[in-house]
Amino acid sequence: MRKFSVILTLIFLLGLFPLSASAEGGECTVNVLISADATNVKVGESVILTASSIKKGSSYEVNWDGAVDQGTVLDTTNGTYISTAEFSADTPGVYQVEYSIILQAGKSDKCFGGKAVKIITVSGEEKSIVGADIKDLLISPVVRKDGSEIYSAFGTSHVLWSDNTSKPYGAVYFYFQENEYSKNIDVTFNIDGKAYCYTVTVTRPDIN
C-alpha cells in the first residue's frame, strides 16, 4: 500500500512539470508599450512613434515595420529601452506600424522578445469650392432692326476648387450691348445640396 502511495505522489509531481515549463516559457516574452503623437493625420504629415520595453539580457535588436527607425536608447533610471521612429504617407489610407524587439541574455543564449502595433489613419486633403469661372466663350453679333448690334455670348460655367482644378458645371447664355466690353455675370452652383453663388467678370473678345 505504501508503494502505491509513492507511485501516486510521483505521478502528481510529474504532472506539475508541464505547468512549470509553461510559466518559464512565458518569461521569454517582454511587454512592449507603443504610443504615437497622433493617429489621425493628413497626407504628408509626420507621426513620431515611441516604444518602450524593460531591459533584459545584455544586447538587443530592434525592428520597425512601416516606419523609419530613429534610434534606441537605454533609460538607466527605469531600466527601459526607448525606441523612436517616424511615419508619414503620401497616399490616404489606414496604416499599421509594427515594432518588435529581441533581447539576448549573453552567454546563456536565452532570448526575450516582444512586439506591439499602432494603427494610423491618413486622410487626403479635402477639396473645397473657392470660386467660379466662365470659359469657352463664343460671341456672335446680332443686328437689330434699327441697324445697331448686340453680341450674344455662350459659354460654360466652371467650378473652381481649392486644389487649383476646375470642373464644367453648365451652360451660360447672355448678351453684350454694342459698346459693352465687360460684364458681371452671376453664376450659381448647387453641389451636394448646397448652393454657391459667385460673380464672374467676363470680357468681350475682339471678333473683328
Side-chain angles (χ1 to χ4, degrees):
M1 187 70 177
R2 180 179 180 82
K3 183 176 180 181
F4 180 71
S5 298
V6 171
I7 292 174
L8 288 177
T9 301
L10 289 173
I11 292 173
F12 176 76
L13 291 174
L14 287 173
L16 293 177
F17 283 118
L19 296 176
S20 300
S22 175
E24 185 178 353
E27 293 177 358
C28 292
T29 300
V30 293
N31 291 327
V32 175
L33 298 177
I34 185 171
S35 62
D37 60 2
T39 54
N40 291 275
V41 295
K42 293 182 179 180
V43 168
E45 292 182 341
S46 294
V47 175
I48 301 300
L49 299 107
T50 303
S52 62
S53 57
I54 297 298
K55 179 183 181 300
K56 290 182 179 290
S58 57
S59 63
Y60 66 88
E61 180 181 339
V62 164
N63 181 67
W64 285 95
D65 184 10
V68 179
D69 191 347
Q70 299 293 307
T72 301
V73 297
L74 174 62
D75 182 347
T76 55
T77 302
N78 300 316
T80 303
Y81 284 119
I82 306 295
S83 300
T84 57
E86 184 177 1
F87 165 88
S88 65
D90 56 7
T91 56
V94 178
Y95 293 82
Q96 175 176 296
V97 176
E98 181 176 297
Y99 169 83
S100 61
I101 185 170
I102 297 176
L103 304 160
Q104 189 75 29
K107 295 180 180 180
S108 68
D109 293 329
K110 190 171 184 179
C111 287
F112 302 87
K115 65 180 180 179
V117 169
K118 181 63 69 174
I119 303 299
I120 300 174
T121 302
V122 179
S123 60
E125 182 179 357
E126 293 185 6
K127 295 196 303 182
S128 60
I129 298 173
V130 295
D133 197 5
I134 295 176
K135 300 182 179 182
D136 307 319
L137 197 62
L138 297 176
I139 302 294
S140 301
V142 177
V143 180
R144 290 175 170 175
K145 292 182 180 180
D146 61 3
S148 63
E149 286 187 334
I150 59 174
Y151 298 86
S152 66
F154 179 84
T156 304
S157 63
H158 282 247
V159 181
L160 301 183
W161 297 90
S162 57
D163 63 351
N164 296 321
T165 61
S166 64
K167 184 177 181 181
Y169 183 82
V172 178
Y173 185 76
F174 57 94
Y175 283 94
F176 286 102
Q177 298 300 319
E178 185 171 9
N179 296 316
E180 190 176 33
Y181 295 93
S182 67
K183 195 176 188 74
N184 291 330
I185 304 298
D186 291 332
V187 178
T188 301
F189 307 126
N190 195 313
I191 298 176
D192 295 332
K194 184 177 180 179
Y196 300 83
C197 186
Y198 298 94
T199 299
V200 180
T201 300
V202 182
T203 301
R204 192 184 91 189
D206 186 2
I207 61 173
N208 295 327

